[in-house]
Amino acid sequence: MDSTKMSFLGDGGSKSMWLKWWEKICGCKVHQHYYQYIWSQKVKRSLWKKLLVSWVVGWTMVSLWIFCSMSLQATEKRKETLASMCDERARMLQDQFNVSMNHIQAMSILISTFHHAKSPSAIDQRTFAKYTERTAFERPLTSGVAYAARVLRSEREQFEKQQGWTIKRMDTVGEKQVQKDDYDPEKLEPSPIQEEYAPVIFAQDTLSHVISVDVLSGKEDRENVVRARESGKGVLTAPFRLLKTNRLGVILTFAVYKRDLLSNATPNERIQATNGYLGGVFDVESLVEKLLQQLASKQTVIVNVYDITNHTHPIAMYGSNASGDTFYHVSTLNFGDPFRKHEMYCRFKQNPPWPWLSITTSIGILVIALLVGHIFHATVNRIAKVEDDYHEMMELKKRAEAADVAKSQFLATVSHEIRTPMNGVLGMLHMLMDTDLDVTQQEFVRTAQGSGKALVSLINEVLDQAKIEAGKLELEAVLFDLRAILDDVLSLFSEKSQEKGVELGVYVSDQVPELLIGDPGRFRQIITNLMGNSIKFMDKGHIFVTIHLVEEVVHSIEVDKESTSENTLSGFPVADSRRSWEGFKAFSQEGPLGSFSSSSGDLINLIVSVEDTGEGIPLEAQHHIFTPFMQVGPSISRKHGGTGIGLSISKCLVHLMNGEIGFVSIPKIGSTFTFTVVFTNGLPNSNDCKTQQIINQPHPASSEFEGMTAMIIDHRPVRAKVSRYHIQRLGIHVEMVSDLNQGLSNVANANIVINMILIEQEVWDRDSGMSSHFVNNISKIVHAVPPKIFILVNSSRSRASAVISSVHDPTIITKPLRASMLAASLQRAMGVRNKGAHRNSDFPSLSLRHLLRGRRILIVDDNSVNRMVAAAALKKYGAEVVCVSCGKEAISSLKPPHQFDACFMDIQMPEIDGFEATRTIRDMELGVNSEVSVDDFDNVPNWHVPILAMTADVIQATQEECLRCGMDGYVSKPFEAEQLYIEVSRFFQPS
């Protein structure tokens, strides 16, 4: 199997990696046929069923294990949560109990100091009750505090007289159940005679009912008192029902001693030093309830508190037997009495919830495993189908490649078949123009030529789009004059702009070099597309083309401000050009702004803006304006026509020139397209450029204009700047003023000699009286030669003549201004003539006459019309032409020795095409040059006749094939004088 075939593991590369990995593990090679069996052949259905069942069973067990594991984790987490909550409650209860115990101990010291150490005592029942009530907040768990004095039997009578009451006997819970409201101390029996007593003499108001009660008469209290005075520490009673309240509680007792005792005092010493007993009553039920109410989660946990001093019979101090969760947590409580042991039991009120996370996770994993198993099983079963699909895909790929080749061949054929007759049509029309025709016939021929060129332009656009899609569009790198190209573009649109009354203007910054290296044809194509779209969709205002260095736009505020005001070329508002380059990466903060500096090598970064005041682009159409074959709308398409690929081609060309393109358009206001391009500085004094022919190079500035001064009168600074740009190109110094009065003042100034005055038509028409006054005063100013007056108009000649009929006879210059047109107008009006310069349009023709005069040229073409056109064109320039109709005749004519200086050969011919004929001719020349002596062939040391391909096929692949087969150049049909001169000048020197 081919390594590029597909499988369920991916492409061939993935399978190769799988094989290498398997070979490393197993230590053996996997045979190719076994590999094909594994990945390409059908596996037995029973084996796949067993594998699927094993997969399902295995993942079912895994899902059960995950369920059990997650459930166990949830249970452990629930137990940890319960333990944390229970420990928190136990800690809080224990801390608050310790606080209360410390305060009771402190109170025992207070009684020892102010009651027993004072004579008389500074404390009575009222003082004690008032003090204990006010400090009750310091003992948050106590429900009351009482103090019982130690009274011996011998001291009883005197004590009772002093207190005014009889020592009462305490009823215990075990002896008699005391209800909440039936307790009356007066009804208690007097305490029986015994060795000592412990009657309560001070009590908090809540325990005032126990005053006079002997605490030694109760079993629990007696044990508590005895342990307290023997140990010297606080001790607790077992839980019991409190008197009167009948609630479960405990008593914390501290002994009050007569003096400070040593830490190692014996129990007898402590008993002898005892003055009394201070006890704090704790209502356990209410106090624990109050504590739990402070916690937000009280309702979720059941709490029980037990006294476990007797492990076999624990005493419940708080809580109920309400059912709850099955598991519980035990927290130890330490209340400071080592004899008493207490614990807190906690459990959740609600049973644990269903483990939905465990259930959903295990089920989800099982479902995923089942889906994976299903996908795996289905994928294996579909391997054979994938193989079939692969073979089908490869077959379709071959067909697509063949279709692509056929498309290219179709484009080449269609191009050739259309351009070949067009070459004849245009050639014959050109020949017809050289005959004697009247004005009407010349107009008809000129119209036919324009239509033919438009058809050729349309064909070129479609072919350019095909080249773009195929990635075959390439750029030239030749020396050219940017300003001359813009003059040609202005000439192209001048007639249409004058018909519509639209003003055209071009401005090139002085910092842009005179000569650049790049592709002038493609740059001109971009400008032509943008201006063509602008003039197509407008009938008023202007089209203004500006070219600056990018660094000027980035670092100059002046350039930015020019288009923001109403100071525009025609006075109409325009779309702000700055918004058209907002998305340019080169203008972002991360962009390489430093590369725009003129110090960054020979690269020239230009930014070109084409602004118009046309209809604008609708907002809904702006997002696909650069999409090929997309029109702004059906109505626009019907009204204006066009293929809709001009902007798409322009965007591609801009990107090939390492630039960016953007636009801003406001409906009913206009559009501004801006793009950047990167060229190389022409450096005309470098050795590399001396051998290159300069494309579109204009004639130099006329020497007759050197040193002259011109004055431009225009109130619009932008329009005046455009006029100054063109006039300065002729070597004329320019002064600018805004009105006729200021112009008259400057002319009258003796320090300035004005040779010519150029007045904008809008200024001239504003006030006819002022215009006449201006002309009359100009003639009165004494100068050796009075300045010549020119009117710059932007309309047809008939309208211009009507405008100036009332004044003297100023010379009319029709815009748009171009260097050649402006020079010719000034030469005629000023009475000078530059004999050393020729018109730009005649330059190739005159040069071709020098190059081709006396040259013997062979034309090879199977089409008689094409032979006739090519022969006429070459004979026009003085060449001696011989025509043949096939490749065989060409081979015979160019067999050394021969007298031909060059050959123009068609490519597509029957029997022997141009490629084969050229290869045969080169083989003959090679044989002659290597085997025959120089003397045998007229002393020619090296036979190599220049062969130029002459074809209507403009596909890049065809041009490359021409060079491979030995041709020296390429001339596409229909060809013009300029293109012909460029190719021929590489082989011939002027005669």
Side-chain angles (χ1 to χ4, degrees), residues 900-912:
F900 291 102
D901 298 296
C903 173
F904 286 82
M905 183 174 294
D906 187 24
I907 292 178
Q908 296 185 5
M909 294 184 295
E911 296 183 6
I912 299 178

Side-chain angles (χ1 to χ4, degrees), residues 429-446:
L429 290 173
H430 189 73
M431 293 169 62
L432 185 60
M433 285 293 292
D434 293 336
T435 63
D436 293 332
L437 301 175
D438 58 29
V439 176
T440 302
Q441 291 171 333
Q442 288 181 354
E443 184 64 24
F444 289 164
V445 174
R446 193 176 293 109

Side-chain angles (χ1 to χ4, degrees), residues 408-419 908 953 955:
S408 299
Q409 186 63 36
F410 171 77
L411 287 173
T413 303
V414 170
S415 168
H416 183 274
E417 294 300 326
I418 295 178
R419 291 169 66 93
Q908 296 185 5
D953 190 352
I955 301 299

Side-chain angles (χ1 to χ4, degrees), residues 197 200 217 253 260 283 353 401 410 497 525 527 534 705 807 841 877 885:
Y197 308 92
V200 177
S217 60
T253 305
D260 294 336
D283 188 345
E401 291 175 348
F410 171 77
S497 67
Q525 184 177 359
I527 300 292
S534 296
F705 296 133
V807 298
S841 58
Y877 301 125
S885 60

Side-chain angles (χ1 to χ4, degrees), residues 229 257 259 261-262 264-274:
R229 68 185 184 184
Y257 298 103
R259 61 186 181 277
L261 295 176
L262 298 176
N264 59 351
T266 63
N268 289 331
E269 291 176 345
R270 293 182 181 276
I271 292 173
Q272 296 300 322
T274 301

Side-chain angles (χ1 to χ4, degrees), residues 27 66 99 107 127 163 459 558 600 624 695 959:
I66 292 175
V99 171
M107 192 175 295
T127 303
Q163 297 294 330
I459 296 171
E558 179 184 356
S600 58
H624 60 253
I695 307 303
Q959 301 181 27

Side-chain angles (χ1 to χ4, degrees), residues 844-858:
S845 299
L846 296 175
S847 301
L848 274 173
R849 288 190 178 96
H850 291 292
L851 289 176
L852 298 179
R853 183 181 295 116
R855 303 291 184 182
R856 183 177 175 84
I857 297 177
L858 177 68

